[in-house]
Amino acid sequence: MEAAVEITNNAGGKAGVQFWVVQAGGEFTHARSSTHRVTVKLTLPSGTQVSDKGDDAE
């Protein structure tokens, strides 16, 4: 079984000044993400019997 997990970190800021009809400002953003893949091996204990009778199983 394998699963992927993504972690995202976002940061940002905004600043500005406004005088009557003149406006000045700036903005920044920073995003970082990383993906981790996890693999798990599943095994049955020894001596386990597996039966697949399909949809008619009771």
Side-chain angles (χ1 to χ4, degrees):
M1 182 169 74
E2 187 171 294
V5 178
E6 182 175 357
I7 300 170
T8 304
N9 185 6
N10 295 316
K14 189 174 184 179
V17 293
Q18 182 174 358
F19 296 103
W20 295 279
V21 293
V22 178
Q23 181 177 359
E27 180 177 349
F28 83 94
T29 58
H30 174 72
R32 184 178 70 185
S33 67
S34 60
T35 302
H36 301 277
R37 187 175 307 264
V38 178
T39 303
V40 178
K41 184 177 179 182
L42 302 174
T43 58
L44 293 173
S46 62
T48 302
Q49 295 181 357
V50 178
S51 175
D52 184 8
K53 295 182 181 180
D55 294 336
D56 298 331
E58 293 182 14

